[in-house]
Amino acid sequence: MNWIWFHKLASPPHAYGIAGRLAPWFGWPAGMLILAGLYGGLVLAPADYQQGDAFRIVYVHAPSAWLSMLVYATMAVAAAVGLVWRIKLAHAVAAAAAPIGATFTALALATGAIWGKPMWGTWWVWDARLTSELILLFLYAGVIALRASIDDRDRADRASAVLAIVGVVNLPIIHYSVYWWNTLHQPATLTKLGKPSMAGDMLWPLLAMLLGFTLYFGAVLLVRLRAEILRRERDAAWLRAELA
Amino acid sequence: MSEFLAMGGYGAFVWPCFALAAVVLAWNVRSARRQLALAREQALRRAAAPDRA
Amino acid sequence: MTPRRKRLLAVIAIVAGVGAATALAMFAFRDNLLYFYNPSQVLAGDAPSGRTFRIGGMVTQGSVQRTPGTLEVRFVVTDFRHSVPVRYEGLLPDLFREGQGVIAHGRLNGGGDFVADEVLAKHDENYMPPEVAESLHPPTPAQAAE
């Protein structure tokens, strides 16, 4: 198999340029989808038969919970690629992803708590879903702290990669917690197979927000990746030509 | 309008959630841009004075 | 074996090892990971006796009795096979109603009643406007009369 294209893509100057050109193609559609989702979710969607207008919190809670897991998966895959194939760009992707994922995990937990108070009657319970999502936040914090605590970049890359890979075990636990155990948290509204358990005029804003948040993550990741590449390649010859 | 803000009595829960989401979305964009600007500035300084850096 | 393949196997081994260890730990502690017991489990004696636990199920239609002038409420929790009567004194969440899933924290008294000190409402994953909900489940005569 010919891997030349792969190594070319993974070369820092190439990635730096491509990331810069690609970021707006993620950012602008993301902004438009999120605005459309906000309008659809807050204004057009009818109130829920049980939860009234409080259900609208789903439009920020579900996309942030989705991102908390998608970003972790991205980070762990990048870390594994970096470890196995010794591709420095992959470690840069993992380093760029971690802070984004941590903020969206915190957002998912915070909006969940604010939603839980009026509906469930409590801010927080130690059920399997909420606890495993909190562990995800600690995993992000651990990966970020571990990277920050090691001065040597290669060693920091490897150590945080191992931790990120170990933490991958938590992802299926979060996802299936609501099926494996009795939890206060309800099962998923959207599943890959089967009809979504949501009326159409409530559903499309949620899908717009989910896609919008996903593209937004792409845009922010690409910008952070460029910064990460600059920091790692500050003495490279290509960089001087690029900046000149 | 005030009916919209009241959110059927759940305004005190709905709006903080959307406000927090706005803060997180804005922070990530700002932080990413700042990191890039900072890294570029540092790289430029290094390129201008490679011996001192 | 190339070094790259060795590293790949190491990564796979890490994930498999940690996954197996986690699965074993979860299997060993599976009872503690249960946030609540349903009425069938409680009546079968699976719930811890002599200490507090949580019971979860549906509030039986027509079972809610309030004592006027107090916050005292009695209702029956069912999983459609078995039922347990619950007594509670305090504020109830907005979603508490007959036919709704609830989780109550407390303990069984000698008479087979569950005395709760906290009642939480569980909601399902379905979202729809009230009109759609009505067309799916026509209101019972009791609800229509309210």
Side-chain angles (χ1 to χ4, degrees):
Chain A
M1 200 168 168
N2 191 343
W3 287 96
I4 291 173
W5 63 272
F6 185 68
H7 285 285
K8 199 175 162 194
L9 188 72
S11 82
H14 235 83
Y16 181 79
I18 290 176
R21 261 170 281 144
L22 228 48
W25 291 94
F26 283 82
W28 287 109
M32 282 187 280
L33 279 167
I34 290 172
L35 284 180
L38 277 179
Y39 184 69
L42 286 171
V43 180
L44 298 179
D48 180 58
Y49 76 117
Q50 279 198 320
Q51 304 192 38
D53 286 306
F55 100 97
R56 296 180 200 282
I57 294 172
V58 78
Y59 295 113
V60 285
H61 176 71
S64 50
W66 154 245
L67 270 200
S68 74
M69 294 173 68
L70 175 74
V71 177
Y72 198 94
T74 307
M75 178 176 85
V77 168
V81 169
L83 265 192
V84 174
W85 284 274
R86 293 274 157 94
I87 295 173
K88 290 195 173 154
L89 182 71
H91 286 301
V93 170
I100 309 171
T103 55
F104 280 97
T105 310
L107 180 61
L109 287 166
T111 53
I114 296 172
W115 194 3
K117 185 62 187 166
M119 289 300 117
W120 293 343
T122 181
W123 301 103
W124 181 262
V125 293
W126 293 100
D127 82 348
R129 168 55 73 81
L130 278 65
T131 307
S132 54
E133 182 75 11
L134 183 65
I135 291 172
L136 186 69
L137 182 63
F138 294 156
L139 280 170
Y140 275 119
V143 168
I144 294 170
L146 189 57
R147 179 177 291 287
S149 67
I150 302 173
D151 286 331
D152 179 60
R153 179 150 279 147
D154 288 340
R155 284 190 51 227
D157 279 345
R158 278 197 298 264
S160 55
V162 170
L163 179 56
I165 291 166
V166 166
V168 141
V169 175
N170 194 32
L171 292 185
I173 296 178
I174 296 174
H175 183 75
Y176 291 106
S177 55
V178 289
Y179 304 102
W180 287 346
W181 300 289
N182 296 337
T183 53
L184 181 57
H185 196 286
Q186 73 283 4
T189 294
L190 302 173
T191 51
K192 209 161 42 188
L193 310 163
K195 236 173 97 219
S197 325
M198 199 178 213
D201 40 0
M202 299 165 146
L203 180 63
W204 76 259
L206 182 59
L207 296 176
M209 290 298 262
L210 285 166
L211 186 58
F213 270 54
T214 306
L215 293 176
Y216 167 94
F217 161 56
V220 174
L221 181 71
L222 287 169
V223 176
R224 284 199 97 97
L225 176 63
R226 298 189 89 201
E228 198 62 43
I229 292 174
L230 283 185
R231 257 178 261 137
R232 285 161 186 254
E233 297 279 315
R234 50 189 178 190
D235 294 324
W238 70 268
L239 191 55
R240 273 188 215 161
E242 174 86 31
L243 293 169
Chain B
M1 188 65 195
S2 65
E3 197 188 327
F4 175 66
L5 291 177
M7 276 288 151
Y10 292 116
F13 299 99
V14 172
W15 296 118
C17 283
F18 282 83
L20 280 177
V23 167
V24 166
L25 289 170
W27 181 87
N28 269 297
V29 169
R30 212 181 102 93
S31 161
R33 286 200 173 143
R34 252 180 61 171
Q35 297 279 327
L36 182 56
L38 251 156
R40 193 178 272 152
E41 201 179 296
Q42 275 171 356
L44 274 173
R45 223 179 298 143
R46 254 181 126 82
D51 315 323
R52 276 194 293 132
Chain C
M1 197 150 64
T2 63
R4 184 190 298 156
R5 175 155 299 176
K6 219 181 264 175
R7 293 196 297 265
L8 180 61
L9 285 177
V11 167
I12 293 170
I14 291 175
V15 174
V18 175
T22 314
L24 280 175
M26 288 193 312
F27 187 73
F29 294 107
R30 65 191 180 284
D31 285 347
N32 298 340
L33 288 166
L34 278 190
Y35 187 64
F36 62 85
Y37 297 85
N38 55 44
S40 295
Q41 289 170 316
V42 172
L43 291 177
D46 289 345
S49 59
R51 67 176 174 88
T52 60
F53 64 95
R54 289 184 182 82
I55 186 170
M58 206 74 104
V59 181
T60 308
Q61 291 287 352
S63 73
V64 177
Q65 297 175 342
R66 291 171 203 270
T67 313
T70 68
L71 288 173
E72 221 177 289
V73 58
R74 289 159 170 272
F75 54 91
V76 176
V77 165
T78 179
D79 58 6
F80 303 110
R81 278 167 293 156
H82 296 93
S83 317
V84 172
V86 176
R87 285 197 290 169
Y88 174 65
E89 196 174 342
L91 291 172
L92 291 162
D94 292 5
L95 272 185
F96 179 89
R97 60 192 77 159
E98 290 177 355
Q100 182 73 43
V102 293
I103 294 172
H105 178 260
R107 62 171 77 227
L108 284 171
N109 68 4
D113 285 2
F114 188 84
V115 182
D117 51 39
E118 183 188 39
V119 175
L120 303 178
K122 192 171 156 60
H123 63 77
D124 59 22
E125 68 277 27
N126 300 306
Y127 300 90
M128 54 189 128
E131 311 88 69
V132 178
E134 254 163 55
S135 67
L136 283 180
H137 314 280
T140 58
Q143 282 175 323
E146 267 174 21

